[in-house]
Amino acid sequence: MAYFEDPRDVNIYGGTFNGVFDIGLTGLQILFQNITHDATHDSAERHPPPKCHPNTRKAIVNDIVQWTHRPLGTDESRIFWMNGPAGVGKTAIAQTVCQRLLESGQLGGSFFFSRMVAGRNDPRSLFSTIAYQLAIAIPGIFGQAIEEKIKADPSILKKHIKLQLEKLIIEPLRLLDSATPPIVIVIDGVDECLGETTQGEIVRLLGTLSQHGNLPIKIVLTSRPEPWIRHEFDTQLLLPHTRRMFLEQTSETDEDIRTFLRSGFSDICDSPDHQQTMANVPKPWPSPSVVDALVERASGQFIYASTVLKFVGDPSYQPIAQLDLVLSTASASKIGNSTNPLATLDRLYIQILSTSPDKQQTLDVLCTVIALTEAFDDFNSQMYYSTNLCQFVEELLRLQPEKALRTIRSLVDISKDGDVKFFHKSFPDFLLDASRSGDFLIDINAMHSRIALSCLKMIRLDPTIAAPSWHGSHAGMVKEYTVYCWGRHWMLSSVSDQDQLCDEIKSINASLFYYYLAWEWARHKTDGIATNSPK
């Protein structure tokens, strides 16, 4: 079956086409095309995922797993809410719980939100992604019900998430025997889903599961204890049906971090990258007193310990010198409020950023990555996954990402394909918070202005920028982005830059400029189909 019958005067310039009609596919195949593959516990995009060291977090993981084993009806709780501040290891615990449940045959599905990754911050595919995993985990009655529902009405995959939960999860679960052992769904990082209102809605919808009798399902959910999320858990809908766990610093947490650091430092000593450098260093290295000092600085935050190990183990530098840099960090906060629970982590971020030979370019690249991630998510997530972001930044703003980020690779990852990702969302949070970052604060609105101005200049200097001949190439992606997204950046730009942006727009040929406006309008109207506009 063709997408378009007898098309004329139509060019396809981009967009994502999701077939939600019967073209000979099974219901599960249609569902498979409409899920977020990268959000599952075993996705390639998340490999290797953060997980607990085998000798750490054992009591917490066992507590959660034992709760999942309890038959429904033995207590009132259907949701296990594990919450805690940034950096305490919630995602690593959730990943380890998934692995334990997979081994016991209880894992029904998982979804790991990530604010900085397009697709994984979008709630619209949450329940369809979980439904697909449930259909694979319970291929009989549940899988057949999913097959029939999607074949009967594929458009359900484009409906509101409330309806998707009802049709794709609750109704098929009702068909299962009430004596069926509970299947467990793990949802990590609800606070990383875009929009406070949406985060609350997800929690509220999951709370409605308790209103549908003994559905054989339990939910493990993690998040920061944000006020709007806590508000939902404090309502009568969820309060009686939720088991809560708040992760905080305890003596057990400190011992787990000590174990994690010792193991990590041992791996650094044995690494082929450092064997020669570390061969004659007395063991254990570092000394117990140094490890104790790092544990104290961590203040219960595994992200601090993880960042230290990445920084010290950087293959481009000598571990002893790197550790000396960490230990030389001031013991008292130099910025913001000294009661800031992330003060120690912030000082580590400042120490690592201070190693950059070109501070401004490093901050410009980091700011650009954050700004582009926001706009990519609004534009085309599939393009985001296929784009060499380093090359993209070079062509758009004439920056050099790989050179600028060379000394801070313990904070950001650059893949072989040129993709740039933050290891933990606390780092971009730090960069955007003046009370935490001090001289390393980035101005995201000013960067949106800079990108918008660059896009408009490219449009003015290249009249052929909208020609279809370049579509599909990397250079074409840059041009396509320029045409599609200049307005998005303009809306997010600084008020003080508006006059300059308006002057640039005035310098563009009027007929050409209106062509781009028409093209953008057509893209929104037709979801990827841009009709030829009048010359």
Side-chain angles (χ1 to χ4, degrees):
M1 176 178 177
Y3 272 89
F4 311 107
E5 298 292 341
D6 192 26
R8 295 179 182 179
D9 297 320
V10 174
N11 291 322
I12 309 300
Y13 287 109
T16 301
F17 294 89
N18 293 315
V20 292
F21 39 80
D22 187 353
I23 53 175
L25 300 177
T26 67
L28 282 182
Q29 287 172 332
I30 295 172
L31 178 58
F32 179 78
Q33 293 178 341
N34 290 272
I35 69 175
T36 302
H37 303 273
D38 293 338
T40 62
H41 72 282
D42 56 356
S43 71
E45 195 271 338
R46 295 184 63 247
H47 184 78
K51 59 182 179 181
C52 300
H53 183 280
N55 294 320
T56 66
R57 302 308 227 184
K58 291 190 290 187
I60 293 173
V61 172
N62 287 338
D63 193 11
I64 297 173
V65 172
Q66 288 172 10
W67 173 83
T68 67
H69 289 337
R70 294 185 193 129
L72 292 167
T74 56
D75 64 30
E76 294 296 319
S77 60
R78 188 179 290 271
I79 296 177
F80 194 113
W81 179 35
M82 179 179 65
N83 64 97
V88 294
K90 298 184 294 294
T91 296
I93 294 172
Q95 179 71 30
T96 303
V97 168
C98 282
Q99 293 173 335
R100 288 278 298 273
L101 294 175
L102 187 65
E103 293 168 1
S104 65
Q106 279 187 278
L107 184 64
S110 60
F111 197 103
F112 285 73
F113 282 105
S114 177
R115 185 177 301 176
M116 300 305 296
V117 180
R120 285 176 57 196
N121 56 15
D122 189 341
R124 289 175 294 183
S125 62
L126 169 62
F127 294 126
S128 60
T129 301
I130 290 174
Y132 178 81
Q133 294 173 82
L134 284 170
I136 300 301
I138 318 172
I141 297 175
F142 189 96
Q144 185 58 38
I146 290 291
E147 174 74 26
E148 293 172 358
K149 284 182 177 294
I150 294 177
K151 287 291 285 185
D153 182 14
S155 70
I156 187 69
L157 300 173
K158 299 301 178 184
K159 303 293 187 183
H160 187 270
I161 58 173
K162 179 180 180 180
L163 187 61
Q164 289 190 26
L165 174 64
E166 176 68 29
K167 297 296 182 182
L168 298 180
I169 295 178
I170 292 175
E171 289 184 2
L173 284 174
R174 284 178 180 151
L175 301 176
L176 300 180
D177 190 326
S178 59
T180 302
I183 296 295
V184 183
I185 303 299
V186 178
I187 302 175
D188 176 67
V190 172
D191 58 287
E192 298 200 31
C193 171
L194 293 178
E196 297 175 6
T197 302
T198 303
Q199 294 168 21
E201 181 179 26
I202 290 172
V203 174
R204 188 164 57 253
L205 287 174
L206 292 173
T208 63
L209 292 173
S210 60
Q211 298 177 329
H212 295 276
N214 288 326
L215 293 178
I217 189 170
K218 288 187 172 185
I219 308 292
V220 175
L221 186 146
T222 79
S223 77
R224 295 184 186 183
E226 305 290 9
W228 51 91
I229 295 177
R230 182 181 296 277
H231 170 76
E232 295 297 339
F233 278 108
D234 287 341
T235 63
Q236 201 54 39
L237 174 66
L238 280 147
L239 190 60
H241 306 290
T242 302
R243 167 81 181 276
R244 303 188 187 202
M245 174 187 287
F246 179 71
L247 299 181
E248 57 185 338
Q249 183 181 10
T250 64
S251 58
E252 184 179 347
T253 304
D254 288 348
E255 190 57 39
D256 283 347
I257 291 176
R258 184 176 287 105
T259 299
F260 179 68
L261 285 168
R262 285 172 177 165
S263 177
F265 284 127
S266 177
D267 290 342
I268 290 171
C269 290
D270 296 337
S271 168
D273 295 319
H274 301 300
Q275 276 183 338
Q276 185 174 356
T277 305
M278 304 299 292
N280 298 320
V281 175
K283 305 298 189 297
W285 178 86
S287 67
S289 61
V290 170
V291 173
D292 289 344
L294 293 173
V295 170
E296 183 178 356
R297 292 187 183 194
S299 301
Q301 297 168 336
F302 272 82
I303 182 60
Y304 177 86
S306 177
T307 303
V308 166
L309 292 174
K310 286 188 177 77
F311 183 70
V312 174
D314 190 324
S316 301
Y317 301 92
Q318 293 188 0
I320 294 176
Q322 292 290 89
L323 181 57
D324 286 343
L325 280 174
V326 172
L327 296 174
S328 68
T329 306
S331 60
S333 179
K334 293 181 179 179
I335 59 171
N337 190 336
S338 61
T339 62
N340 170 19
L342 298 175
T344 308
L345 179 62
D346 292 349
R347 290 195 295 273
L348 180 60
Y349 285 156
I350 289 171
Q351 179 67 60
I352 295 173
L353 285 167
S354 298
T355 64
S356 173
D358 190 338
K359 168 188 165 183
Q360 193 55 56
Q361 179 160 195
T362 297
L363 293 178
D364 284 347
V365 170
L366 292 170
C367 193
T368 303
V369 170
I370 295 173
L372 290 177
T373 301
E374 291 178 354
F376 267 132
D377 187 59
D378 185 60
F379 171 47
N380 186 335
S381 61
Q382 295 303 314
M383 176 181 167
Y384 178 87
Y385 292 130
S386 62
T387 297
N388 182 320
L389 199 59
C390 284
Q391 189 177 346
F392 194 94
V393 172
E394 286 185 30
E395 295 183 18
L396 194 63
L397 295 177
R398 302 294 182 244
L399 296 172
Q400 297 178 294
E402 295 198 46
K403 181 180 179 181
L405 303 180
R406 183 176 181 274
T407 64
I408 64 165
R409 295 293 292 273
S410 56
L411 304 178
V412 295
D413 177 56
I414 302 179
S415 70
K416 293 180 180 179
D417 298 327
D419 191 15
V420 180
K421 293 181 180 177
F422 297 101
F423 281 117
H424 196 271
K425 78 172 290 290
S426 64
F427 182 48
D429 288 349
F430 160 83
L431 293 169
L432 292 164
D433 188 339
S435 68
R436 296 175 58 192
S437 54
D439 291 341
F440 292 94
L441 176 70
I442 59 175
D443 188 337
I444 192 69
N445 299 113
M447 182 53 70
H448 280 297
S449 299
R450 185 173 171 182
I451 296 173
L453 188 62
S454 179
C455 290
L456 290 170
K457 285 182 177 179
M458 289 179 68
I459 292 173
R460 173 169 58 84
L461 296 174
D462 185 2
T464 66
I465 197 168
S469 58
W470 46 252
H471 181 66
S473 65
H474 177 80
M477 287 185 179
V478 176
K479 293 182 176 182
E480 184 176 3
Y481 181 88
T482 296
V483 174
Y484 280 162
C485 291
W486 67 268
R488 167 70 170 163
H489 289 291
W490 188 9
M491 287 188 293
L492 297 171
S493 64
S494 299
V495 174
S496 59
D497 296 322
Q498 295 298 310
D499 288 344
Q500 185 181 8
L501 290 168
C502 287
D503 288 342
E504 187 63 38
I505 289 175
K506 291 175 184 176
S507 67
I508 299 175
N509 178 279
S511 61
L512 185 64
F513 185 70
Y514 285 121
Y515 180 91
Y516 299 140
L517 289 178
W519 190 13
E520 173 68 0
W521 177 85
R523 181 175 74 89
H524 283 294
K525 284 293 184 181
T526 59
D527 190 27
I529 308 171
T531 57
N532 289 333
S533 53
K535 303 293 184 183

PDB file of all heavy atoms in Angstrom, residues 117-140:
ATOM      1  N   VAL A 117      17.864  13.441  26.795  1.00  0.00           N
ATOM      2  CA  VAL A 117      17.859  12.551  25.632  1.00  0.00           C
ATOM      3  C   VAL A 117      16.492  12.616  24.961  1.00  0.00           C
ATOM      4  O   VAL A 117      15.481  12.258  25.565  1.00  0.00           O
ATOM      5  CB  VAL A 117      18.183  11.091  26.029  1.00  0.00           C
ATOM      6  CG1 VAL A 117      18.160  10.195  24.794  1.00  0.00           C
ATOM      7  CG2 VAL A 117      19.544  11.013  26.712  1.00  0.00           C
ATOM      8  N   ALA A 118      16.490  13.074  23.715  1.00  0.00           N
ATOM      9  CA  ALA A 118      15.230  13.179  22.972  1.00  0.00           C
ATOM     10  C   ALA A 118      14.555  11.819  22.886  1.00  0.00           C
ATOM     11  O   ALA A 118      15.196  10.813  22.623  1.00  0.00           O
ATOM     12  CB  ALA A 118      15.500  13.726  21.573  1.00  0.00           C
ATOM     13  N   GLY A 119      13.249  11.792  23.109  1.00  0.00           N
ATOM     14  CA  GLY A 119      12.499  10.536  23.100  1.00  0.00           C
ATOM     15  C   GLY A 119      12.324   9.986  24.501  1.00  0.00           C
ATOM     16  O   GLY A 119      11.212   9.627  24.907  1.00  0.00           O
ATOM     17  N   ARG A 120      13.415   9.938  25.256  1.00  0.00           N
ATOM     18  CA  ARG A 120      13.338   9.406  26.615  1.00  0.00           C
ATOM     19  C   ARG A 120      12.818  10.439  27.610  1.00  0.00           C
ATOM     20  O   ARG A 120      12.644  10.127  28.791  1.00  0.00           O
ATOM     21  CB  ARG A 120      14.703   8.884  27.055  1.00  0.00           C
ATOM     22  CG  ARG A 120      15.089   7.562  26.414  1.00  0.00           C
ATOM     23  CD  ARG A 120      16.477   7.133  26.800  1.00  0.00           C
ATOM     24  NE  ARG A 120      16.626   7.035  28.244  1.00  0.00           N
ATOM     25  CZ  ARG A 120      17.815   6.985  28.863  1.00  0.00           C
ATOM     26  NH1 ARG A 120      18.928   7.053  28.151  1.00  0.00           N
ATOM     27  NH2 ARG A 120      17.871   6.881  30.164  1.00  0.00           N
ATOM     28  N   ASN A 121      12.574  11.660  27.160  1.00  0.00           N
ATOM     29  CA  ASN A 121      11.964  12.665  28.033  1.00  0.00           C
ATOM     30  C   ASN A 121      10.510  12.929  27.655  1.00  0.00           C
ATOM     31  O   ASN A 121       9.879  13.843  28.175  1.00  0.00           O
ATOM     32  CB  ASN A 121      12.764  13.970  27.986  1.00  0.00           C
ATOM     33  CG  ASN A 121      12.912  14.510  26.569  1.00  0.00           C
ATOM     34  OD1 ASN A 121      12.210  14.078  25.658  1.00  0.00           O
ATOM     35  ND2 ASN A 121      13.822  15.448  26.374  1.00  0.00           N
ATOM     36  N   ASP A 122       9.988  12.113  26.749  1.00  0.00           N
ATOM     37  CA  ASP A 122       8.640  12.309  26.210  1.00  0.00           C
ATOM     38  C   ASP A 122       7.701  11.242  26.774  1.00  0.00           C
ATOM     39  O   ASP A 122       7.931  10.049  26.579  1.00  0.00           O
ATOM     40  CB  ASP A 122       8.693  12.214  24.684  1.00  0.00           C
ATOM     41  CG  ASP A 122       7.377  12.618  24.023  1.00  0.00           C
ATOM     42  OD1 ASP A 122       6.343  12.618  24.709  1.00  0.00           O
ATOM     43  OD2 ASP A 122       7.399  12.922  22.824  1.00  0.00           O
ATOM     44  N   PRO A 123       6.629  11.630  27.472  1.00  0.00           N
ATOM     45  CA  PRO A 123       5.742  10.648  28.094  1.00  0.00           C
ATOM     46  C   PRO A 123       4.796   9.953  27.125  1.00  0.00           C
ATOM     47  O   PRO A 123       4.155   8.971  27.480  1.00  0.00           O
ATOM     48  CB  PRO A 123       4.944  11.496  29.085  1.00  0.00           C
ATOM     49  CG  PRO A 123       4.847  12.831  28.420  1.00  0.00           C
ATOM     50  CD  PRO A 123       6.184  13.022  27.727  1.00  0.00           C
ATOM     51  N   ARG A 124       4.693  10.461  25.896  1.00  0.00           N
ATOM     52  CA  ARG A 124       3.672   9.951  24.986  1.00  0.00           C
ATOM     53  C   ARG A 124       3.860   8.489  24.610  1.00  0.00           C
ATOM     54  O   ARG A 124       2.906   7.813  24.228  1.00  0.00           O
ATOM     55  CB  ARG A 124       3.621  10.821  23.722  1.00  0.00           C
ATOM     56  CG  ARG A 124       3.044  12.213  23.967  1.00  0.00           C
ATOM     57  CD  ARG A 124       3.129  13.082  22.734  1.00  0.00           C
ATOM     58  NE  ARG A 124       4.508  13.381  22.371  1.00  0.00           N
ATOM     59  CZ  ARG A 124       4.868  14.163  21.363  1.00  0.00           C
ATOM     60  NH1 ARG A 124       3.933  14.722  20.604  1.00  0.00           N
ATOM     61  NH2 ARG A 124       6.139  14.405  21.101  1.00  0.00           N
ATOM     62  N   SER A 125       5.091   7.999  24.725  1.00  0.00           N
ATOM     63  CA  SER A 125       5.321   6.589  24.385  1.00  0.00           C
ATOM     64  C   SER A 125       5.541   5.727  25.626  1.00  0.00           C
ATOM     65  O   SER A 125       5.910   4.555  25.505  1.00  0.00           O
ATOM     66  CB  SER A 125       6.541   6.464  23.463  1.00  0.00           C
ATOM     67  OG  SER A 125       7.715   6.920  24.124  1.00  0.00           O
ATOM     68  N   LEU A 126       5.327   6.293  26.814  1.00  0.00           N
ATOM     69  CA  LEU A 126       5.573   5.536  28.046  1.00  0.00           C
ATOM     70  C   LEU A 126       4.767   4.248  28.100  1.00  0.00           C
ATOM     71  O   LEU A 126       5.316   3.148  28.235  1.00  0.00           O
ATOM     72  CB  LEU A 126       5.253   6.413  29.257  1.00  0.00           C
ATOM     73  CG  LEU A 126       5.199   5.704  30.621  1.00  0.00           C
ATOM     74  CD1 LEU A 126       6.558   5.106  30.970  1.00  0.00           C
ATOM     75  CD2 LEU A 126       4.744   6.670  31.721  1.00  0.00           C
ATOM     76  N   PHE A 127       3.453   4.360  27.976  1.00  0.00           N
ATOM     77  CA  PHE A 127       2.607   3.180  28.166  1.00  0.00           C
ATOM     78  C   PHE A 127       2.620   2.244  26.961  1.00  0.00           C
ATOM     79  O   PHE A 127       2.439   1.041  27.116  1.00  0.00           O
ATOM     80  CB  PHE A 127       1.194   3.616  28.537  1.00  0.00           C
ATOM     81  CG  PHE A 127       1.115   4.299  29.868  1.00  0.00           C
ATOM     82  CD1 PHE A 127       0.544   5.560  30.005  1.00  0.00           C
ATOM     83  CD2 PHE A 127       1.646   3.711  31.006  1.00  0.00           C
ATOM     84  CE1 PHE A 127       0.482   6.193  31.227  1.00  0.00           C
ATOM     85  CE2 PHE A 127       1.594   4.341  32.243  1.00  0.00           C
ATOM     86  CZ  PHE A 127       1.009   5.588  32.352  1.00  0.00           C
ATOM     87  N   SER A 128       2.845   2.780  25.770  1.00  0.00           N
ATOM     88  CA  SER A 128       2.973   1.890  24.607  1.00  0.00           C
ATOM     89  C   SER A 128       4.260   1.077  24.719  1.00  0.00           C
ATOM     90  O   SER A 128       4.284  -0.115  24.372  1.00  0.00           O
ATOM     91  CB  SER A 128       2.962   2.698  23.313  1.00  0.00           C
ATOM     92  OG  SER A 128       4.020   3.632  23.264  1.00  0.00           O
ATOM     93  N   THR A 129       5.342   1.695  25.217  1.00  0.00           N
ATOM     94  CA  THR A 129       6.611   0.972  25.393  1.00  0.00           C
ATOM     95  C   THR A 129       6.459  -0.120  26.445  1.00  0.00           C
ATOM     96  O   THR A 129       6.946  -1.250  26.268  1.00  0.00           O
ATOM     97  CB  THR A 129       7.724   1.948  25.804  1.00  0.00           C
ATOM     98  OG1 THR A 129       7.869   2.949  24.793  1.00  0.00           O
ATOM     99  CG2 THR A 129       9.054   1.226  25.977  1.00  0.00           C
ATOM    100  N   ILE A 130       5.768   0.184  27.535  1.00  0.00           N
ATOM    101  CA  ILE A 130       5.545  -0.813  28.579  1.00  0.00           C
ATOM    102  C   ILE A 130       4.616  -1.921  28.081  1.00  0.00           C
ATOM    103  O   ILE A 130       4.838  -3.107  28.349  1.00  0.00           O
ATOM    104  CB  ILE A 130       4.971  -0.141  29.835  1.00  0.00           C
ATOM    105  CG1 ILE A 130       6.059   0.735  30.488  1.00  0.00           C
ATOM    106  CG2 ILE A 130       4.455  -1.176  30.832  1.00  0.00           C
ATOM    107  CD1 ILE A 130       5.569   1.560  31.645  1.00  0.00           C
ATOM    108  N   ALA A 131       3.586  -1.534  27.332  1.00  0.00           N
ATOM    109  CA  ALA A 131       2.634  -2.532  26.808  1.00  0.00           C
ATOM    110  C   ALA A 131       3.341  -3.529  25.898  1.00  0.00           C
ATOM    111  O   ALA A 131       3.056  -4.738  25.944  1.00  0.00           O
ATOM    112  CB  ALA A 131       1.506  -1.831  26.060  1.00  0.00           C
ATOM    113  N   TYR A 132       4.260  -3.040  25.073  1.00  0.00           N
ATOM    114  CA  TYR A 132       4.991  -3.948  24.173  1.00  0.00           C
ATOM    115  C   TYR A 132       5.811  -4.945  24.988  1.00  0.00           C
ATOM    116  O   TYR A 132       5.815  -6.156  24.697  1.00  0.00           O
ATOM    117  CB  TYR A 132       5.903  -3.159  23.242  1.00  0.00           C
ATOM    118  CG  TYR A 132       6.710  -4.055  22.322  1.00  0.00           C
ATOM    119  CD1 TYR A 132       6.138  -4.574  21.158  1.00  0.00           C
ATOM    120  CD2 TYR A 132       8.023  -4.414  22.634  1.00  0.00           C
ATOM    121  CE1 TYR A 132       6.858  -5.422  20.333  1.00  0.00           C
ATOM    122  CE2 TYR A 132       8.744  -5.262  21.812  1.00  0.00           C
ATOM    123  CZ  TYR A 132       8.158  -5.763  20.660  1.00  0.00           C
ATOM    124  OH  TYR A 132       8.877  -6.609  19.841  1.00  0.00           O
ATOM    125  N   GLN A 133       6.496  -4.451  26.023  1.00  0.00           N
ATOM    126  CA  GLN A 133       7.309  -5.356  26.845  1.00  0.00           C
ATOM    127  C   GLN A 133       6.430  -6.367  27.579  1.00  0.00           C
ATOM    128  O   GLN A 133       6.801  -7.536  27.727  1.00  0.00           O
ATOM    129  CB  GLN A 133       8.131  -4.527  27.841  1.00  0.00           C
ATOM    130  CG  GLN A 133       9.176  -3.642  27.185  1.00  0.00           C
ATOM    131  CD  GLN A 133       9.848  -2.716  28.186  1.00  0.00           C
ATOM    132  OE1 GLN A 133      10.770  -3.113  28.892  1.00  0.00           O
ATOM    133  NE2 GLN A 133       9.369  -1.484  28.274  1.00  0.00           N
ATOM    134  N   LEU A 134       5.257  -5.924  28.046  1.00  0.00           N
ATOM    135  CA  LEU A 134       4.334  -6.848  28.709  1.00  0.00           C
ATOM    136  C   LEU A 134       3.837  -7.921  27.744  1.00  0.00           C
ATOM    137  O   LEU A 134       3.685  -9.089  28.123  1.00  0.00           O
ATOM    138  CB  LEU A 134       3.143  -6.075  29.287  1.00  0.00           C
ATOM    139  CG  LEU A 134       3.387  -5.290  30.580  1.00  0.00           C
ATOM    140  CD1 LEU A 134       2.193  -4.391  30.885  1.00  0.00           C
ATOM    141  CD2 LEU A 134       3.646  -6.245  31.747  1.00  0.00           C
ATOM    142  N   ALA A 135       3.582  -7.517  26.502  1.00  0.00           N
ATOM    143  CA  ALA A 135       3.113  -8.477  25.505  1.00  0.00           C
ATOM    144  C   ALA A 135       4.163  -9.551  25.220  1.00  0.00           C
ATOM    145  O   ALA A 135       3.826 -10.701  24.932  1.00  0.00           O
ATOM    146  CB  ALA A 135       2.745  -7.740  24.218  1.00  0.00           C
ATOM    147  N   ILE A 136       5.449  -9.163  25.298  1.00  0.00           N
ATOM    148  CA  ILE A 136       6.528 -10.130  25.109  1.00  0.00           C
ATOM    149  C   ILE A 136       6.684 -10.996  26.360  1.00  0.00           C
ATOM    150  O   ILE A 136       6.919 -12.209  26.274  1.00  0.00           O
ATOM    151  CB  ILE A 136       7.856  -9.399  24.799  1.00  0.00           C
ATOM    152  CG1 ILE A 136       7.724  -8.569  23.521  1.00  0.00           C
ATOM    153  CG2 ILE A 136       9.002 -10.386  24.678  1.00  0.00           C
ATOM    154  CD1 ILE A 136       7.355  -9.360  22.285  1.00  0.00           C
ATOM    155  N   ALA A 137       6.543 -10.383  27.533  1.00  0.00           N
ATOM    156  CA  ALA A 137       6.702 -11.114  28.789  1.00  0.00           C
ATOM    157  C   ALA A 137       5.531 -12.051  29.056  1.00  0.00           C
ATOM    158  O   ALA A 137       5.704 -13.105  29.681  1.00  0.00           O
ATOM    159  CB  ALA A 137       6.859 -10.130  29.952  1.00  0.00           C
ATOM    160  N   ILE A 138       4.315 -11.666  28.602  1.00  0.00           N
ATOM    161  CA  ILE A 138       3.107 -12.488  28.800  1.00  0.00           C
ATOM    162  C   ILE A 138       2.491 -12.735  27.424  1.00  0.00           C
ATOM    163  O   ILE A 138       1.465 -12.125  27.062  1.00  0.00           O
ATOM    164  CB  ILE A 138       2.096 -11.771  29.721  1.00  0.00           C
ATOM    165  CG1 ILE A 138       2.799 -11.100  30.912  1.00  0.00           C
ATOM    166  CG2 ILE A 138       1.033 -12.738  30.229  1.00  0.00           C
ATOM    167  CD1 ILE A 138       1.888 -10.229  31.744  1.00  0.00           C
ATOM    168  N   PRO A 139       3.105 -13.598  26.627  1.00  0.00           N
ATOM    169  CA  PRO A 139       2.696 -13.738  25.223  1.00  0.00           C
ATOM    170  C   PRO A 139       1.324 -14.358  25.003  1.00  0.00           C
ATOM    171  O   PRO A 139       0.753 -14.227  23.924  1.00  0.00           O
ATOM    172  CB  PRO A 139       3.797 -14.633  24.637  1.00  0.00           C
ATOM    173  CG  PRO A 139       4.306 -15.426  25.810  1.00  0.00           C
ATOM    174  CD  PRO A 139       4.203 -14.511  26.981  1.00  0.00           C
ATOM    175  N   GLY A 140       0.776 -15.018  25.990  1.00  0.00           N
ATOM    176  CA  GLY A 140      -0.505 -15.697  25.798  1.00  0.00           C
ATOM    177  C   GLY A 140      -1.676 -14.751  25.758  1.00  0.00           C
ATOM    178  O   GLY A 140      -1.903 -14.023  24.793  1.00  0.00           O
TER     179      GLY A 140
END
